[in-house]
Amino acid sequence: MFTTRPTLQGTFGMVSSTHWLASQSAMAVLEDGGNAFDAAVAAGFVLHVVEPHLNGPAGEVPIILAPAGGEVRVLCGQGVAPAGANIAHYRGLGLDLVPGTGPLAAAVPGAFDAWMLLLRDHGTKSLADVLKYAIGYAEDGHAPVERVGETVETVRELFETEWTSSAEVYLPGGRAPRPGELFRNPALAATWRRLLAEVSGGAGARGVSAVAGETDRVGQIEAARQVWRSGFIAEALVRQSGRPTTDTSGERHTGTLTAADLASWSAAYEAPATYDWRGWTLCKAGPWSQGPVLLQQLALLPPELPRYGSADYVHLLIEGCKLAMADREAWYGDAAEVPLDELLSAPYNAARRALIGEKASYELRPGSPGDRTPRMSGHARVVASGEQGFDPMGVPGAGEPTVAKSPLSPVPGEPDVGADGGTRGDTCHLDIVDRWGNMVAATPSGGWLQSNPVVPELGFPLGTRLQMAWLEEDLPNSLTPGRRPRTTLTPSLALRDGVPVMAFGTPGGDQQDQWQTHFFLAVALRSEVRGGLDLQGAIDAPNWHNDSFPGSFYPRGMRPGSVTVESRTDPDVIKELRHRGHDVLVGEAWSEGRLCAVARDPRTGVLSAAANPRGMQGYAVGR
């Protein structure tokens, strides 16, 4: 079949990410003898530089890794709510929702420590080896993609009047970053150079490359973790949290992050949530993420599926997604025990499947696993009732994150969207497989340039992930000190007959596990190419999403009955969906999905990769 690009194949290594500079930097690490985990860390830090509107060092990153011959593990780089981030504090400030921007929305930063653990435990390169690419692009400059400057323009007034430290980085001389011109972030480069100097006994980054021995390598990584937790980086982050900052509430607030919060938290490994489907095993992060939503969508499928791409097929997936997302709203979170085994069980999902009728549902219908009573926030019940009917996204293709806008905006804090339906904020993704069979998928996000002011001493901002927690007691996702806010970030790893064969993921907030489900089924149900999986064909296939559940981002709206499809969708399918009662919005031809994927055939050792053409910046590379 025709695709926008070929599915790449080779035997040495394959990388796919949402930015070509990250992909090529990762490939450079592989070429230099590094493994997939070294390459992932290098790419992750490059993404902080080249996609600062999509992620940053003080954001978060869930990582799924499959070491060659080892067990699949999840590395949780999602930080927790600070000790002072309790519901009473926010309610005392007159807030009903956690603001979409500003320090009140900042969790304990998680991305940096997760990358360090990955490098320490599974990598082979020194810290300087993997940081040199990001330092180079921050110090010497890179030609930014259009979205960076467009995002800065949406918050220009805020930067110039309130967030002046951000203006110093992103409006040098009053000019936003422009394509074709070099953009630099010297403050960020200086941060990493100082970090390297401190952990290497005074040597600068340019001179620290080949570290003498594994003990020194691990020691430097551990020292870097301590600098982040309690050294000059931690001190600057805490100072920033204490600065009154205008946020989406229209007021100035200080945050709750303290030195003790930073010092006491660490990224950690855990077992993945899994589901077996037709010889495949899908691995996801646990229900502190939305990852099990993909698993439940598979559990909701009947034994016999309608023809791929037909109206019956799309209707079935839309309605199943609504049920899984309703269960996410009622049951997922880190503040209470989640009955995940029952949520993924065959009897439970058979009963849920019976709710899918011929017509589109406009209801939010969580289930009752084990006869438990669903617990939903009052806000979710209100928006589901239609009494407060605002659109969570506005137009097709929208995703995370929130953009700081005037509180007078009809949808304060929502992403600004261009005429093509694309957002000016989202997140990132990367997948890598190496010649030894190591495989990794990671979805870095948070710490966006439009989410918080740049920390002047560091060159990057705090994150805003606490906006995903509710300011109501006794919910699975209630704002709770020491607990993770439920995240939308959700990388995937798939096994075939128990062997890791594919890593994939996408940006897109609440859409991530919708687009990934559609991608996976396209891979699993459709023909192979060149003797391998048709990754590019599955990525290029027309995609869609629905917003029939409370959104995860401020102001947490929903659009009951909605379906957004690409205009490439068969007109007869669109007509039939409307006949069935779906509120269909036809978006641009290439507006749904930002997928990346790599794969390995365990029979032959052939590696493959593909990347999303939408947005024209994601690329796969390999040989």
Side-chain angles (χ1 to χ4, degrees), residues 204-228:
R206 296 188 193 279
V208 183
S209 182
V211 180
E214 178 67 5
T215 301
D216 288 347
R217 189 188 78 88
V218 171
Q220 287 193 359
I221 295 168
E222 282 299 305
R225 297 179 71 205
Q226 287 305 117
V227 171
W228 180 275

Side-chain angles (χ1 to χ4, degrees), residues 148-407:
V148 177
E150 290 170 351
T151 301
V152 172
E153 289 294 349
T154 68
V155 286
R156 171 183 284 273
E157 182 179 355
L158 180 71
F159 281 13
E160 291 178 335
T161 60
E162 298 275 354
W163 296 8
T164 54
S165 60
S166 296
E168 291 177 12
V169 173
Y170 292 105
L171 289 169
R175 284 166 57 93
R178 296 188 181 188
E181 298 180 4
L182 290 179
F183 173 71
R184 299 174 175 85
N185 187 342
L188 178 58
T191 294
W192 298 145
R193 285 203 177 279
R194 180 177 173 183
L195 174 70
L196 290 172
E198 290 195 8
V199 303
S200 60
R206 296 188 193 279
V208 183
S209 182
V211 180
E214 178 67 5
T215 301
D216 288 347
R217 189 188 78 88
V218 171
Q220 287 193 359
I221 295 168
E222 282 299 305
R225 297 179 71 205
Q226 287 305 117
V227 171
W228 180 275
R229 288 169 162 172
S230 58
F232 78 95
I233 294 177
E235 292 168 358
L237 292 173
V238 171
R239 279 195 299 272
Q240 184 62 43
S241 179
R243 293 181 175 119
T245 302
T246 301
D247 57 37
T248 50
S249 72
E251 303 292 332
R252 289 187 178 91
H253 293 116
T254 57
T256 61
L257 185 68
T258 68
D261 294 318
L262 284 164
S264 62
W265 185 83
S266 171
Y269 296 97
E270 57 189 52
T274 63
Y275 186 77
D276 296 330
W277 187 82
R278 296 191 180 184
W280 294 83
T281 299
L282 277 295
C283 300
K284 302 289 285 185
W288 53 267
S289 76
Q290 72 172 358
V293 163
L294 186 152
L295 308 182
Q296 190 175 356
Q297 287 177 87
L298 296 179
L300 284 162
L301 294 176
E304 297 296 325
L305 296 181
R307 178 176 56 85
Y308 175 86
S310 66
D312 286 341
Y313 177 86
V314 177
H315 172 78
L316 175 69
L317 292 183
I318 293 168
E319 294 304 299
C321 177
K322 291 175 185 177
L323 294 173
M325 285 295 197
D327 279 344
R328 181 195 77 165
E329 194 56 46
W331 297 107
Y332 289 21
D334 196 36
E337 185 176 348
V338 179
L340 189 58
D341 288 345
E342 290 171 283
L343 287 168
L344 297 179
S345 70
Y348 177 77
N349 284 288
R352 297 286 277 156
R353 188 184 310 127
L355 298 176
I356 299 176
E358 288 298 310
K359 293 293 186 178
S361 170
Y362 279 58
E363 299 177 74
L364 187 65
R365 299 180 290 179
S368 302
D371 294 325
R372 299 172 180 85
T373 301
R375 293 178 290 173
M376 293 221 300
S377 71
H379 180 91
R381 290 193 295 270
V382 168
V383 296
S385 72
E387 296 174 23
Q388 189 174 338
F390 48 76
D391 186 334
M393 302 301 180
V395 295
E400 66 187 292
T402 56
V403 172
K405 294 171 70 175
S406 164

